[in-house]
């Protein structure tokens, strides 16, 4: 049974650089979510896809952030011109669209912006 | 953003003791989820609750969906060292029209062997 996977697990970058993260959801799940988590906080919602359609974006998702899910399978989250405040754990989750709200998370990508 | 009130913030207990934590809100929820997160990892789903009054167990874990739909609790019986971690509650608002979850700030559990 393959769970949600994320790549890379860790990313260190310099301020101003662009970074891209990948998420592969559980294969039969049509919903995919991106969250950001900082120390001592719960996950903060960033955006949500149903199949390839991006249905909601948080106000946290500034114009430097963009997410795609081109074929309704894997998703990418890109951060342009990274800032030190972008340092966080970026979590991806997926769920089955049959009515349940259970979201299953990947291991996360830890981003450090120097 | 909106958050759930989760308490206690942290707990330090002896191995073998029972643990109880809860989440409350002023809003009505139609779903409560409890997750455990280890350092450097993503949250792992423990229990999902969908009906007011529902009591669900998963091994030594028991969770209940409050009758008022505004709260939930999680109990861990006979704690063991591997129970160490941060426990989060998350809920879906009854009035919500999307799948976004509202999260508590977590309860950090430490178990002394």
């Amino acid at each position: 049974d393959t769970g949600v996977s994320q790549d890379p697990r860790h990313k260190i970058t310099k301020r101003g650089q662009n970074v891209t993260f990948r998420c592969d959801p559980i294969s039969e799940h049509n919903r995919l979510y991106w969250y950001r988590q900082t120390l001592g906080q719960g996950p903060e919602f960033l955006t949500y896809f149903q199949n390839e359609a991006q249905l909601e974006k948080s106000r946290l998702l500034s114009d430097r952030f963009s997410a795609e899910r081109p074929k309704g399978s894997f998703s990418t989250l890109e951060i342009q011109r990274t800032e030190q405040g972008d340092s966080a754990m970026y979590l991806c989750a997926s769920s089955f669209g049959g009515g349940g709200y259970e979201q299953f998370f990947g291991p996360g990508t830890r981003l450090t912006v120097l | 953003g909106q958050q759930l009130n989760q308490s206690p913030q942290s707990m330090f207990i002896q191995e073998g003791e029972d643990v109880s934590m809860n989440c409350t809100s002023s809003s009505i929820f139609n779903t409560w989820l409890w997750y455990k997160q280890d350092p450097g990892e993503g949250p792992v789903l423990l229990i999902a609750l969908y009906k007011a009054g529902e009591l669900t167990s998963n091994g030594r874990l028991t969770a209940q969906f409050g009758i008022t739909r505004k709260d939930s609790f999680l109990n861990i019986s006979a704690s063991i060292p591997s129970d160490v971690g941060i426990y989060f509650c998350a809920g879906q608002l009854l009035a919500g029209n999307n799948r976004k979850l509202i999260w508590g700030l977590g309860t950090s559990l430490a178990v002394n062997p």
Side-chain angles (χ1 to χ4, degrees):
Chain A
D1 181 23
T2 303
V4 178
S5 62
Q6 292 186 244
D7 184 69
R9 292 293 309 275
H10 304 276
K11 178 70 177 179
I12 299 174
T13 191
K14 293 182 179 180
R15 189 174 52 188
Q17 297 293 307
N18 299 343
V19 294
T20 299
F21 309 142
R22 176 178 170 126
C23 171
D24 286 88
I26 295 171
S27 59
E28 63 268 26
H29 286 183
N30 64 347
R31 292 197 170 102
L32 187 148
Y33 313 79
W34 285 99
Y35 291 86
R36 180 171 69 185
Q37 186 179 29
T38 53
L39 195 64
Q41 301 292 319
E44 293 179 293
F45 172 82
L46 292 179
T47 191
Y48 147 59
F49 290 85
Q50 180 163 315
N51 299 312
E52 65 275 11
Q54 188 174 17
L55 297 186
E56 184 174 354
K57 293 193 296 185
S58 164
R59 289 175 298 166
L60 294 174
L61 214 65
S62 76
D63 56 5
R64 295 186 298 107
F65 288 69
S66 62
E68 294 182 342
R69 195 183 183 198
K71 297 183 180 179
S73 56
F74 74 91
S75 175
T76 58
L77 177 68
E78 180 183 16
I79 308 174
Q80 296 182 328
R81 304 180 304 280
T82 52
E83 302 172 355
Q84 288 186 325
D86 296 332
S87 295
M89 174 77 90
Y90 289 84
L91 295 164
C92 174
S94 70
S95 68
F96 178 63
Y101 294 88
E102 300 169 24
Q103 295 182 17
F104 296 87
F105 283 81
T109 295
R110 168 72 66 188
L111 173 65
T112 301
V113 182
L114 301 176
Chain B
Q2 186 170 8
Q3 287 180 329
L4 298 172
N5 300 312
Q6 186 171 351
S7 65
Q9 186 175 6
S10 62
M11 302 182 73
F12 186 85
I13 62 171
Q14 295 294 122
E15 183 177 359
E17 290 184 354
D18 297 343
V19 172
S20 184
M21 60 192 78
N22 69 84
C23 275
T24 61
S25 174
S26 58
S27 301
I28 295 175
F29 286 76
N30 65 7
T31 301
W32 286 95
L33 305 174
W34 284 93
Y35 289 86
K36 177 177 183 277
Q37 187 173 26
D38 292 329
E41 299 293 331
V44 174
L45 182 64
L46 300 174
I47 293 179
L49 301 161
Y50 291 102
K51 297 180 181 179
E54 178 181 358
L55 186 70
T56 298
S57 293
N58 177 7
R60 294 178 296 104
L61 277 62
T62 301
Q64 185 161 28
F65 193 143
I67 292 293
T68 64
R69 308 184 74 99
K70 295 181 179 181
D71 62 339
S72 177
F73 72 76
L74 174 71
N75 286 344
I76 306 173
S77 62
S79 58
I80 59 178
S82 63
D83 291 334
V84 166
I86 301 177
Y87 291 79
F88 288 98
C89 61
Q92 165 71 28
L93 288 168
L94 182 63
N97 59 2
N98 57 49
R99 302 288 168 166
K100 183 171 63 177
L101 294 176
I102 309 299
W103 291 78
L105 292 180
T107 294
S108 177
L109 178 64
V111 179
N112 189 29

